Amino acid sequence: MKRARLNELLQTAMMEVFSQTFGLELQPCEAPPAEDGYTAEIPFSDGRESFSAAVWVQKPILRRLANLLLFEEDPDEETLRDLTSELANFIVGHAKMAASDKNLPYSIETPRFSGIKPLEQSDRTLLYEFENQCVALQIKGLNG
């Protein structure tokens, strides 16, 4: 699968997960924030190459998602970390369903929380915002 098609699948998945699952409309984020965000990574493959998608999200968005999904007003750190991994699973899993609908090979693995840290600078970053808080998706090749 060409990287442009892969990026398109993931971009569409991210927008659809936020709008259809959470009822939140994302907009392009103009500049990467300087604050730390919660990060989870999920390995996936297009049948030829292996990749890792890193989802980076700011805490206020996670708190909003915890309220929407879990009805928690004040989620603890463990919940926020688990929710970050689950968000990665939602997005990359949605892309897998879209790929399957187009008969494209695509497999995913289990997401893992990878820390609270600044957003890494990359030209492969899909960066969006909701209420002045950012969420990002970065794709990295694992074998080349």
Side-chain angles (χ1 to χ4, degrees):
M1 187 180 326
K2 294 188 188 254
R3 286 198 189 216
R5 178 176 251 176
L6 184 63
N7 282 351
E8 182 181 311
L9 274 174
L10 289 165
Q11 182 175 9
T12 299
M14 189 159 173
M15 299 297 281
E16 288 179 355
V17 163
F18 271 86
S19 67
Q20 296 171 7
T21 305
F22 307 129
L24 306 176
E25 296 299 325
L26 297 177
Q27 302 298 320
C29 189
E30 298 302 318
E35 297 89 14
D36 286 349
Y38 290 68
T39 306
E41 295 184 30
I42 182 168
F44 68 99
S45 173
D46 68 358
R48 289 189 353 250
E49 291 183 73
S50 294
F51 302 90
S52 177
V55 173
W56 180 95
V57 60
Q58 289 185 280
K59 190 173 187 175
I61 292 176
L62 282 176
R63 291 175 58 87
R64 177 81 177 259
L65 296 179
N67 186 279
L68 288 169
L69 295 172
L70 308 170
F71 307 106
E72 289 197 32
E73 295 287 330
D74 190 23
D76 61 18
E77 279 300 306
E78 183 179 352
T79 299
L80 294 174
R81 290 167 188 236
D82 289 346
L83 192 53
T84 304
S85 295
E86 203 48 49
L87 181 58
N89 201 38
F90 269 120
I91 293 166
V92 179
H94 191 86
K96 178 185 180 191
M97 289 185 334
S100 178
D101 289 346
K102 296 176 183 186
N103 293 320
L104 299 171
Y106 192 103
S107 64
I108 64 174
E109 296 179 28
T110 305
R112 68 172 181 81
F113 182 75
S114 56
I116 301 170
K117 54 192 171 187
L119 180 63
E120 292 178 20
Q121 298 299 317
S122 170
D123 59 350
R124 292 193 181 127
T125 301
L126 303 173
L127 187 62
Y128 300 97
E129 71 176 337
F130 176 78
E131 294 182 351
N132 297 315
Q133 297 293 313
C134 292
V135 59
L137 180 67
Q138 294 179 320
I139 299 94
K140 300 174 189 171
L142 295 178
N143 57 350

